[in-house]
Structure formats: C-alpha cells, structure tokens
C-alpha cells in the first residue's frame, strides 16, 4: 500500500482528517481529494492534506487504488457507483458512513464492474463539520469497525483493515447488523435524547447551563444534514432502543412519583457505578 494512490471523496471533517493522516502515515502514497467546492480543494492543498484535487470524481479516480467515500450516508451509494464506472479494475473502495447495513446490503446486491467494496466506520470525530476542523491524528487509538458480509471480498477486507491499523486505529471486525445495533445504543439513541433535551429546555434556564447540561447535549449540535440519514438508515434499532428508553423512563417516573427514596437511590447508584467503572471518558 506504500505507493498507493488514495482518493478521498468528500473533504469534510472525516475526509480532511483522513487526507492529513495518510500524508503522515503513507509518505510515499499519493493523496487525491474530491470536493464539490474549489475553495475546499484549495484549502486542502494549502494545508498539505492532498497532492491534487478535483471537483469531478471521474477525473479523480482514474489512477485510484484505494478510495474512501466520506460524504453523508444518503449520498454514498451513488458515489460508489460512480467510482465503479471510472476507477481501474481491482480498486478497493470503502466508506466511513455511520450506519452499515443499508450500504453493505446495497453493495451486496450490486454487481460492480471494477471495484471491490468493504464497509468501514471510524468511531472518531465530533459535532463539528468541515475540513477546517480536520486533524491528522483523529484516528489514533480510535475504534474502527470494518463490516464484511458473506459476499465481501477478502482482499478488500484485508486492505481496509491494514489501512486503518496503519493510522493507529483499533480495528474491530463486526457484521453490519451488529454494528448498527451497537451504534444505536452508544451514539444514535444518545443523539436523539440530547436533541430532545434541547427541545425541552426553556431559553431562560438554558442561559444558566453548567457542565452537566453542556456535556449531555454537546452532540445535539451535530449537522442535521448528516444526522437525518443516519437516523433513517438505522430506524429499526433506534426505535427499539427508544422503546427501551421509554420503559426505563416510566420506571424512573414511578419511583419519583412514589417518593421511593431507597429505590431511587439504588437506581442512581447503579447508573453511577456503571458509568464510573468505565473511567473518565
Ligand atoms: P462533513 O464535515 O460535513 O463533511 C461531509 C463532506 O461530504 C463534505 O466535504 C461535502 O463536501 C461532502 N458532501 C456533502 N454532501 C454531498 C453530496 N450530496 N455528494 C457528494 N459529497 C457531499 O461531515 P463528516 O463529519 O466528515 O461526515 C462524513 C461521513 O462520515 C458521514 O457519512 C458521517 O456519517 C461519517 N462519520 C462522521 C463522524 C463524525 O463524528 N463527524 C464519525 C464517523 C463517521 P463538499 O461540500 O466540499 O463537496
């Protein structure tokens, strides 16, 4: 992979960070970026994230070996199809989309002419978007899920896994289905709850927020352009987890309504112990 031509489609937070990381970790590789905006390409070049940039995908992937699609979930299938039309045979393609079943099932149904696809998802990033927030060390120490299906190419799986490891990531192989269940609990349900809290808080109370409220709602600042398709493509898991949330919420309401001091204490203590056992992060 050392002298590979990497093509990154979507030079935002994740795509820009990937470009910067590849420049560091694959010094002999060539990094080509694709953005719809000329000024993003100019910025990426000025920062030294990419060697070359294009607004037209067709031109960018002509000599590609490894392609990373880093755009919102609902744009990914179309972009992968386009890469398949114009990339050389044997090109390995992965994406960084935050849900995996829909994309991987779609790819399994497709008959690609030139590419071998494998799904990935780095558990790195933040509520910030855009290349201006990109960081070359974003993936160091982060979990990255690589999500093969029964139809995935072993070569693509091996390439993607070794690529992420080289960036310092902690690679985990999981099925797309299990992946989507995990991220529903640790990311999508919390995002829904943070958004709900922002709908509930009054403007007056919000002025007096302290660390607790800010920590709990930080993710609600995430881009709706990214989050709407994430929620919709993981709808069944998020709905199931919302039902679980409602059941526990009902229990909490009963404990409080009944002034059950002991039970309320126990409820809070179990949560505190579980959370503190995981360390400070
Ligand atoms: P971002 O900073 O908003 O960047 C998204 C990029 O996608 C932009 O560079 C934009 O490029 C491009 N784009 C937007 N709509 C497009 C379209 N219709 N067709 C082609 N390109 C389009 O977002 P991000 O945080 O990097 O997220 C990118 C992907 O990573 C998403 O699928 C997200 O689910 C996933 N992800 C995000 C995080 C996170 O914490 N942020 C973590 C893991 C995975 P131009 O406007 O410059 O063309």
């Amino acid at each position: 992979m050392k002298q590979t031509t990497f093509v990154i489609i979507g030079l935002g937070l994740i795509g820009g960070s990937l470009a910067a990381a590849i420049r560091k970790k694959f010094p002999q590789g060539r990094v080509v970026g694709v953005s719809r905006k000329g000024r993003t390409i100019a910025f990426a070049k000025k920062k030294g994230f990419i060697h070359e940039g294009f607004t037209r995908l067709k031109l960018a992937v002509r000599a590609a070996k490894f392609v990373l699609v880093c755009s919102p979930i609902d744009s990914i299938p179309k972009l992968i199809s386009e890469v398949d039309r114009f990339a050389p045979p044997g090109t390995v393609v992965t994406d960084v989309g935050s849900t995996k079943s829909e994309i991987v099932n779609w790819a399994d149904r497709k008959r690609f002419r030139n590419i071998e696809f494998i799904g990935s998802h780095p558990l790195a990033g933040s509520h910030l978007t855009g290349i201006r927030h990109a960081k070359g060390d974003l993936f160091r120490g982060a979990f990255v899920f690589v999500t093969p299906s029964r139809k995935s190419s072993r070569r693509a799986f091996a390439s993607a896994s070794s690529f992420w490891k080289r960036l310092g990531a902690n690679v985990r192989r999981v099925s797309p289905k299990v992946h989507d269940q995990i991220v529903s609990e640790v990311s999508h349900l919390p995002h829904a709850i943070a958004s709900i809290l922002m709908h509930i808080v009054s403007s007056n109370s919000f002025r007096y927020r302290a660390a607790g409220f800010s920590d709990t709602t930080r993710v609600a600042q995430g881009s709706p352009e990214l989050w709407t398709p994430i929620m919709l493509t993981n709808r069944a898991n998020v709905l199931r987890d919302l039902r679980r949330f409602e059941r526990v919420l009902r229990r909490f309401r009963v404990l409080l309504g009944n002034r059950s001091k002991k039970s309320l204490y126990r409820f809070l203590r179990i949560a505190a112990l579980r959370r503190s056992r995981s360390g400070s992060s």
Side-chain angles (χ1 to χ4, degrees), residues 9-16 34-37 40-41 69-76 78-79 95-99 103 120-131 138-139 223 225-227 230:
I9 301 170
L11 291 172
L13 174 70
I14 300 293
V34 182
S35 169
R36 297 169 303 179
K37 298 184 193 111
T40 303
I41 291 170
V69 183
C70 305
S71 59
I73 293 270
D74 48 352
S75 63
I76 292 174
K78 188 169 160 269
L79 293 169
D95 74 303
V96 297
S98 305
T99 61
I103 288 171
S120 302
H121 176 207
L123 295 192
S126 73
H127 58 280
L128 301 169
T129 53
I131 194 163
L138 188 64
F139 308 100
S223 149
E225 193 188 344
L226 293 177
W227 274 94
I230 290 174

